[in-house]
Amino acid sequence: RKEVEQDPGPFNVPEGATVAFNCTYSNSASQSFFWYRQDCRKEPKLLMSVYSSGNEDGRFTAQLNRASQYISLLIRDSKLSDSATYLCVAPQAANKLIFGTGTLLAVQP
Amino acid sequence: DAGVIQSPRHEVTEMGQEVTLRCKPISGHDYLFWYRQTMMRGLELLIYFNNNVPIDDSGMPEDRFSAKMPNASFSTLKIQPSEPRDSAVYFCASSFSRANSPLHFGNGTRLTVT
């Protein structure tokens, strides 16, 4: 099993839609999780951290399910500018962050 | 804050040549990471340092790859000799050591080996 697994997509959704991505991780001892966004030919940029209690930042909601070892990202009211690759990140060891291969989102007008 | 600075942005070289990639982390960050990104494998962790000391180099693909961090503000990743399959985007990232500290990436070096 890969350490961090994501559905590569692409997810093609219309503007205004709600879309959700899941990501599974293998290390049950992992504590810190993140979602990154990567635009084409750019570096990954932090979108949000994922806390045990879940967290929300505007249209974005991240949740952690420790029992099933997955994290999720929900995007509400999708914008064209949300089109990007979304990478989930989990630690294999303290500060050793492993990235999933990413989920491609394409928001259509 | 200047962010993580990598150079060069692009490198095109011939097979067999030595390639050196450079990175300046964010001032005050004590962790530095080198990642490689390809379409096939995504972002792979090659090596990371804490306080200039290599902690885990298990991701370094072969002996042709080496990395150094002579001081807190500079690191290099060297490939010697380079091969076409080394073509990828190489990212450097840095972070604080406190819990839940995210990574901050540089712009990356796009390496093409012909």
Side-chain angles (χ1 to χ4, degrees):
Chain A
R1 181 182 177 184
K2 285 186 181 178
E3 294 179 50
V4 181
E5 288 199 73
Q6 294 182 252
D7 181 344
F11 282 61
N12 295 303
V13 303
E15 269 187 291
T18 295
V19 62
F21 310 135
N22 280 346
C23 168
T24 59
Y25 60 93
S26 61
N27 183 2
S28 60
S30 296
Q31 296 292 320
S32 305
F33 304 89
F34 306 94
W35 282 102
Y36 277 72
R37 170 194 169 126
Q38 186 173 25
D39 292 291
C40 188
R41 301 180 78 83
K42 298 284 190 180
E43 74 276 19
K45 292 186 178 178
L46 178 68
L47 178 65
M48 57 198 306
S49 301
V50 185
Y51 304 124
S52 296
S53 55
N55 49 305
E56 187 173 312
D57 182 3
R59 298 182 294 108
F60 298 83
T61 300
Q63 299 222 310
L64 168 63
N65 184 318
R66 288 196 183 278
S68 300
Q69 292 184 212
Y70 75 83
I71 62 174
S72 63
L73 177 68
L74 182 77
I75 305 175
R76 289 179 298 277
D77 188 23
S78 299
K79 312 290 185 191
L80 293 176
S81 57
D82 294 334
S83 298
T85 296
Y86 291 84
L87 302 159
C88 75
V89 189
Q92 183 187 66
N95 293 94
K96 183 179 181 180
L97 297 183
I98 304 300
F99 284 74
T101 51
T103 297
L104 179 62
L105 172 66
V107 181
Q108 315 288 343
Chain B
D1 187 347
V4 176
I5 299 173
Q6 290 187 247
S7 65
R9 290 295 304 275
H10 301 274
E11 177 80 36
V12 180
T13 191
E14 291 185 347
M15 179 176 168
Q17 297 299 305
E18 177 180 295
V19 175
T20 299
L21 311 181
R22 298 173 176 79
C23 176
K24 176 178 167 54
I26 292 173
S27 177
H29 281 188
D30 47 6
Y31 273 84
L32 183 140
F33 303 78
W34 283 101
Y35 285 87
R36 176 174 70 176
Q37 188 172 38
T38 60
M39 288 290 290
M40 292 297 294
R41 294 201 180 94
L43 262 173
E44 300 174 279
L45 177 61
L46 301 178
I47 184 171
Y48 71 101
F49 297 81
N50 179 217
N51 291 323
N52 314 337
V53 176
I55 302 301
D56 188 331
D57 66 354
S58 59
M60 296 286 259
E62 299 170 32
D63 290 346
R64 298 184 296 107
F65 286 69
S66 62
K68 294 181 180 180
M69 192 165 185
N71 57 63
S73 59
F74 184 65
S75 177
T76 60
L77 177 68
K78 187 175 292 186
I79 309 172
Q80 167 62 22
S82 58
E83 296 183 3
R85 59 194 167 122
D86 301 331
S87 298
V89 180
Y90 290 81
F91 288 105
C92 175
S94 68
S95 73
F96 289 114
S97 58
R98 65 171 183 265
N100 300 320
S101 181
L103 297 180
H104 298 264
F105 282 82
N107 291 332
T109 295
R110 185 171 296 274
L111 173 66
T112 302
V113 183
T114 60

